[in-house]
Amino acid sequence: MMSQMPQQAALTNCPSCEEPLESGDRFCGACGYDLSAVPARPDDHPTLAVNGSAPVSAPSPAADGGTPWPAAHEPAGADTPPATHLPADLTGIDSGGHDLAAPPPSGSPVSPASGVRFDRPSEPDEYPLQAPDPRVTAETPTPAEGVKVCVACRAGRVDHDGYCENCGHAQPRERDHMEQECGPMAAVSDRGLRHHRNEDAFAVGTAALPDGSPASVAIVCDGVSSATRPDDASLAASRAASESLLAALARGTHPQQAMHDAIVAASRAVNALAAEPQTAREHAPHQNAPACTIVGAVVTSGLLVVGWVGDSRAYWVPVDRTALPARLTEDDSWAAQMVAAGLMNEAEAYADERAHAITGWLGADAYELEPHTASFKPDRPGVVVVCTDGLWNYAEAAQDMAEAVPLDAAVRPLHGAQVLVGHALDGGGHDNVTVALVPFPAPSQGAGSA
């Protein structure tokens, strides 16, 4: 132990989570990392917001000249429903009135990007629970019944700060793994295998529309890892968006308008974090204001609405797997811009190290808030997959996602969400993983899981 003292004294930050250290610390006060054996420091690429760093194609109308969905009206938009789509043709229309899947016509103008956030640092080392010294464990008496026991050494008592008094390990946080069933839908979120905390968040809920018919709501948010307090940003955004949506739907607001307003409410909630004293204390020149992405879905008895900012996604997977699945959102990312501008094909763009640099996010340092919404009227039952890139990185294409979704996901949504999280963890679990499954159409109240 004495031979390691000089190495420990030279450390100023935890090599695991970058928390400042004090001289003589044996364990990190934030994540419990054992400082007696310090690995090589991983490469880190902080988030950057770059003005005009990447070209982006100007919005263009659908290639087939299709009619955009009509504007949503308040309080009740029953007179302006979107056109019916077949599952094989669920291209959708974004909030600018443009076909999501149609490429821009040849020669379309290209304008500079308003901002790009690079949020893809090199993969860090895993964060396994390190084995305690068996000699120390053997000398420690077993805690009394009812006392919380350390998950690492299985012997030490956990103090009120969440650390083992025997081996010093930080215990799993409440958000490391979360599951929730709500009516006919469910959501699961997991820290993954490479991150020391879960920076994703979700919210699910049900509402009764003014005519008595049901509506299901799912919101999924992904904190920007290199920003300050990304876990707080995702939690604030998911809660604000869900509360706004459920209240608006109950008032009779058209679901598409309600989704737009919910994203605006989420943005305000994240912006407010930048002014809090906690953010000011943590702020440093190389950091950004709290930030996250957002994607949400509203499902009624006959309508499916999605909304998003960033690179979290929604997919459509029909119950009849002979019908084609579809991706319902278009990423706000460097790769998507390259493809839209015709500068790269999709395979080339997503193979580039800049592929996951996001060009849209919620946060005080976002250049401009541009909520995207789209409406669909599928002609058959299915399930909507609402997820962060921690899942779709392992099932990017719509067909790949459909193959990963269990056949009974529409009737066992919690099991289906658990399977999808497991799919991501089996693939490497390089990021936090969050997914919500929302069956379409929304069943009558009481028909889903309790």
Side-chain angles (χ1 to χ4, degrees):
M1 182 65 67
M2 291 298 294
S3 64
Q4 297 171 350
M5 288 294 288
Q7 181 184 23
Q8 291 176 326
L11 289 173
T12 58
N13 295 87
C14 172
S16 172
C17 69
E18 299 296 335
E19 181 74 10
L21 301 174
E22 296 183 4
S23 177
D25 281 351
R26 293 178 57 197
F27 297 93
C28 173
C31 69
Y33 194 89
D34 186 353
L35 301 173
S36 64
V38 181
R41 185 181 180 87
D43 294 333
D44 181 44
H45 303 287
T47 291
L48 301 175
V50 183
N51 192 18
S53 64
V56 54
S57 62
S60 60
D64 60 0
T67 303
W69 48 264
H73 295 287
E74 293 191 35
D79 58 329
T80 58
T84 299
H85 294 261
L86 296 176
D89 191 32
L90 285 176
T91 56
I93 302 297
D94 69 15
S95 52
H98 311 120
D99 193 307
L100 291 176
S106 178
S108 61
V110 176
S111 61
S114 59
V116 177
R117 176 169 237 144
F118 292 95
D119 187 38
R120 187 61 57 170
S122 298
E123 295 174 0
D125 293 331
E126 294 187 12
Y127 294 89
L129 287 172
Q130 298 164 316
D133 187 332
R135 294 167 298 179
V136 176
T137 303
E139 298 169 0
T140 304
T142 301
E145 184 178 354
V147 175
K148 188 173 181 181
V149 179
C150 174
V151 300
C153 68
R154 299 294 182 180
R157 186 177 73 88
V158 178
D159 64 21
H160 67 281
D161 291 324
Y163 293 89
C164 177
E165 294 180 345
N166 173 41
C167 66
H169 277 291
Q171 302 303 292
R173 300 173 175 87
E174 180 182 357
R175 289 177 63 178
D176 281 359
H177 186 86
M178 300 177 290
E179 299 184 358
Q180 184 179 352
E181 279 187 295
C182 183
M185 60 187 158
V188 176
S189 182
D190 191 90
R191 185 187 70 177
L193 304 178
R194 303 265 180 165
H195 284 246
H196 72 279
R197 65 180 174 185
N198 190 357
E199 296 167 357
D200 289 355
F202 67 80
V204 290
T206 58
L209 303 180
D211 63 1
S213 62
S216 301
V217 169
I219 299 291
V220 168
C221 297
D222 184 355
V224 176
S225 296
S226 51
T228 305
R229 300 171 61 192
D231 50 339
D232 290 341
S234 62
L235 185 62
S238 61
R239 287 177 173 175
S242 176
E243 291 171 2
S244 174
L245 261 176
L246 294 173
L249 292 171
R251 290 195 304 266
T253 305
H254 188 281
Q256 193 156 1
Q257 182 65 49
M259 178 64 76
H260 180 278
D261 295 345
I263 294 176
V264 173
S267 176
R268 289 172 179 162
V270 178
N271 291 351
L273 295 177
E276 292 184 0
Q278 184 177 354
T279 299
R281 288 195 301 270
E282 293 183 5
H283 185 72
H286 67 279
Q287 292 178 318
N288 301 289
C292 68
T293 67
I294 186 171
V295 62
V298 175
V299 169
T300 69
S301 58
L303 184 66
L304 161 59
V305 172
V306 294
W308 73 98
V309 173
D311 63 351
S312 293
R313 294 180 176 180
Y315 292 82
W316 162 259
V317 178
V319 170
D320 178 5
R321 297 303 173 85
T322 62
L324 292 178
R327 175 153 64 96
L328 306 178
T329 58
E330 187 65 44
D331 298 344
D332 289 320
S333 70
W334 181 91
Q337 288 190 339
M338 294 299 100
V339 174
L343 300 177
M344 290 183 176
N345 62 40
E346 193 164 293
E348 293 171 336
Y350 281 96
D352 193 284
E353 63 180 7
R354 297 165 290 182
H356 290 274
I358 55 175
T359 57
W361 62 88
L362 304 183
D365 63 352
Y367 284 81
E368 183 177 1
L369 177 63
E370 295 183 6
H372 311 293
T373 62
S375 292
F376 307 93
K377 293 191 84 174
D379 65 346
R380 64 191 67 200
V383 63
V384 184
V385 180
V386 186
C387 64
T388 61
D389 61 347
L391 171 59
W392 67 252
N393 277 331
Y394 301 100
E396 185 170 347
Q399 188 60 48
D400 294 336
M401 183 63 73
E403 291 174 359
V405 174
L407 295 175
D408 61 353
V411 294
R412 298 179 64 199
L414 179 57
H415 173 259
Q418 292 167 338
V419 169
L420 289 174
V421 169
H423 177 78
L425 298 180
D426 290 344
H430 293 165
D431 200 353
N432 305 145
V433 188
T434 301
V435 58
L437 294 183
V438 190
F440 175 92
S444 58
Q445 298 292 345
S449 303

